[in-house]
Amino acid sequence: MPRKQNHLTLHILTIIILYLLQGFVQGFTSSIQLYLAFYKASWQEQGIFSWIFYPFSLKILWAPIFDSIYHYRFGRYLTWLIPIQITIGIIFIILSFYLEYLLINRQIVTLTIIFFFIYFLIASQDVVVDGLSVLLFSNLNPQYASTCQTIGQVIGYFLSSTVLITFESSNFTNEYIRKPLSLPERSSGLFSLKEFTFFGGSQFIIVNIIILVIFFPKKSLNKTINFNIQNKKKMNKKLYLSETYSSILKLFQKKCMCEYSVILLTFDIGFAATNYMTILFLLEYGITPDTIALINIPSLAIHILVPLFMSQIQRHLQWFSYGYIFRLITAIVLAIYIYFIPDIVHRSYFCPKLDIVDNNVIYVPA
């Protein structure tokens, strides 16, 4: 029993770390949008850069490849996980030497191409890790998979957005770190964007080395990835690529899947503007990036606790409908507030107090 518990703990930590790396890329990309706005990128340029997010929406087109084509010695998912993450790490390390130049000179097309490819890789990594987590926890508790995903992605996003923007800022570090510690002020933060990007890329490579050193020689994870042959012979059957795509088409012929797909494709329309334009408006009206980054601090707990709570209840779509109505109302409130920000942002009574509503965090006057 202790040995099984140790394996479970190791698997949980592995999946959380892999999702953390995924969240790191997502948060880092959102930070790049803040940097672009800080360097006076136009709305059109921001729109061009937003094309990088499409691979996550289209990953179903190439996801079957990971189930159908793999090297048996490495397993169904390590075959893809290792090269994908090493590639991401190398790109981040090389990018660290040029990123500040690309941002300052607003090389939007170049940035879009680079991050589109990074997002393509991280969307592929998401497919692989999703499948890996389901397999690791299918015999124990399938809810571990979604819990690990939530914890890992939120922490990774927090590190590469809030931590990056806040501690890279010289204003914040001088005011709240160096001044209380009686340290001399500097024109830079605790680290530079170059150093943080290089650090992020190195973590991808280090994690891959650890996975190879710990798991591959023992082949414990590899056996699990290959579906535990004794207990899951049916699942272990290797499908041809055409058969995998055919299975997906059959799945979408079911009415429930069609209805669910319509929900996923349309539910974001009602608050798309407030979700993706609010930050840009705040920057345009003079709110500093490090102040905006602090928005994520109180929402960190919410993004972790709410999914944990939802995993314990029934009728998830019913709860979704309740939350959806509430979120639409808050989107209207937020839009009204943004409209009046030019009149209150420079008043003496304007105080950045955080009001957390569903997935939105908005500024309200004191």
Side-chain angles (χ1 to χ4, degrees):
M1 183 64 69
R3 188 174 181 181
K4 289 184 178 181
Q5 187 65 34
N6 291 337
H7 278 297
L8 175 61
T9 303
L10 184 61
H11 291 165
I12 290 175
L13 289 175
T14 301
I15 296 302
I16 288 178
I17 291 173
L18 291 174
Y19 277 122
L20 188 150
L21 293 176
Q22 185 184 128
F24 178 91
V25 173
Q26 295 172 336
F28 189 83
T29 305
S30 69
S31 298
I32 295 301
Q33 291 181 299
L34 289 179
Y35 281 111
L36 286 174
F38 179 76
Y39 290 120
K40 309 301 181 184
S42 66
W43 286 88
Q44 181 182 4
E45 290 172 327
Q46 290 280 6
I48 293 173
F49 186 76
S50 67
W51 279 89
I52 68 169
F53 299 109
Y54 279 93
F56 250 91
S57 302
L58 302 174
K59 60 188 177 183
I60 192 174
L61 297 179
W62 62 86
I65 296 175
F66 304 129
D67 280 326
S68 303
I69 304 174
Y70 61 93
H71 193 284
Y72 183 79
R73 185 184 177 190
F74 285 90
R76 181 161 290 185
Y77 296 113
L78 281 187
T79 299
W80 295 99
L81 182 65
I82 301 301
I84 286 174
Q85 295 197 153
I86 288 179
T87 304
I88 294 174
I90 293 173
I91 292 175
F92 265 89
I93 290 174
I94 296 174
L95 182 63
S96 66
F97 297 99
Y98 304 98
L99 183 56
E100 291 185 7
Y101 170 81
L102 293 173
L103 289 171
I104 293 172
N105 292 278
R106 302 213 312 264
Q107 301 291 320
I108 302 299
V109 175
T110 303
L111 286 168
T112 302
I113 294 172
I114 293 172
F115 279 93
F116 184 91
F117 184 60
I118 291 175
Y119 241 73
F120 168 78
L121 292 174
I122 206 64
S124 302
Q125 188 252 25
D126 179 58
V127 174
V128 174
V129 178
D130 284 348
L132 176 60
S133 61
V134 169
L135 292 176
L136 289 177
F137 304 128
S138 59
N139 288 333
L140 300 170
N141 187 343
Q143 292 181 351
Y144 286 160
S146 59
T147 302
C148 291
Q149 181 183 35
T150 300
I151 295 174
Q153 285 183 345
V154 171
I155 295 176
Y157 192 98
F158 174 78
L159 291 175
S160 58
S161 57
T162 302
V163 173
L164 168 60
I165 296 296
T166 303
F167 293 105
E168 192 268 342
S169 167
S170 58
N171 294 330
F172 181 88
T173 51
N174 286 334
E175 181 69 24
Y176 297 104
I177 297 178
R178 295 188 178 116
K179 187 176 180 179
L181 296 176
S182 300
L183 297 174
E185 292 189 357
R186 296 183 180 180
S187 59
S188 60
L190 294 183
F191 47 76
S192 66
L193 180 60
K194 175 183 176 180
E195 293 169 341
F196 190 86
T197 308
F198 187 92
F199 170 79
S202 64
Q203 296 314 298
F204 274 92
I205 295 177
I206 290 172
V207 168
N208 276 289
I209 294 174
I210 293 174
I211 290 177
L212 286 174
V213 170
I214 293 179
F215 291 114
F216 187 67
K218 296 179 181 179
K219 298 185 179 180
S220 59
L221 182 61
N222 194 34
K223 290 179 181 179
T224 308
I225 295 171
N226 280 297
F227 300 114
N228 197 353
I229 297 176
Q230 290 79 8
N231 298 327
K232 297 187 176 182
K233 291 182 179 179
K234 198 170 183 179
M235 290 182 65
N236 193 45
K237 180 183 177 182
K238 184 174 181 179
L239 297 177
Y240 291 105
L241 187 59
S242 59
E243 293 177 317
T244 308
Y245 278 105
S246 177
S247 299
I248 293 177
L249 292 175
K250 290 179 181 178
L251 184 64
F252 276 95
Q253 290 175 358
K254 296 184 177 181
K255 182 180 178 181
C256 60
M257 283 301 300
C258 293
E259 293 174 346
Y260 187 59
S261 299
V262 171
I263 293 174
L264 293 178
L265 288 171
T266 59
F267 85 98
D268 204 29
I269 294 175
F271 33 79
T274 53
N275 268 8
Y276 304 110
M277 297 170 64
T278 298
I279 301 299
L280 299 180
F281 270 116
L282 291 175
L283 287 168
E284 188 176 309
Y285 293 144
I287 307 299
T288 59
D290 53 294
T291 303
I292 292 175
L294 294 175
I295 288 174
N296 289 328
I297 293 179
S299 65
L300 177 67
I302 290 180
H303 281 82
I304 292 177
L305 295 177
V306 169
L308 292 177
F309 167 75
M310 294 298 293
S311 66
Q312 305 298 320
I313 64 174
Q314 304 293 328
R315 300 179 181 274
H316 295 90
L317 282 179
Q318 186 174 359
W319 281 88
F320 171 84
S321 63
Y322 296 153
Y324 186 83
I325 296 173
F326 182 66
R327 193 172 177 185
L328 283 176
I329 295 173
T330 60
I332 296 173
V333 174
L334 180 59
I336 295 173
Y337 181 74
I338 293 298
Y339 179 81
F340 287 105
I341 275 188
D343 298 325
I344 64 176
V345 69
H346 297 299
R347 302 289 179 88
S348 59
Y349 58 80
F350 179 78
C351 175
K353 191 183 294 182
L354 295 176
D355 183 21
I356 306 165
V357 184
D358 190 50
N359 195 39
N360 297 301
V361 181
I362 63 175
Y363 281 86
V364 296

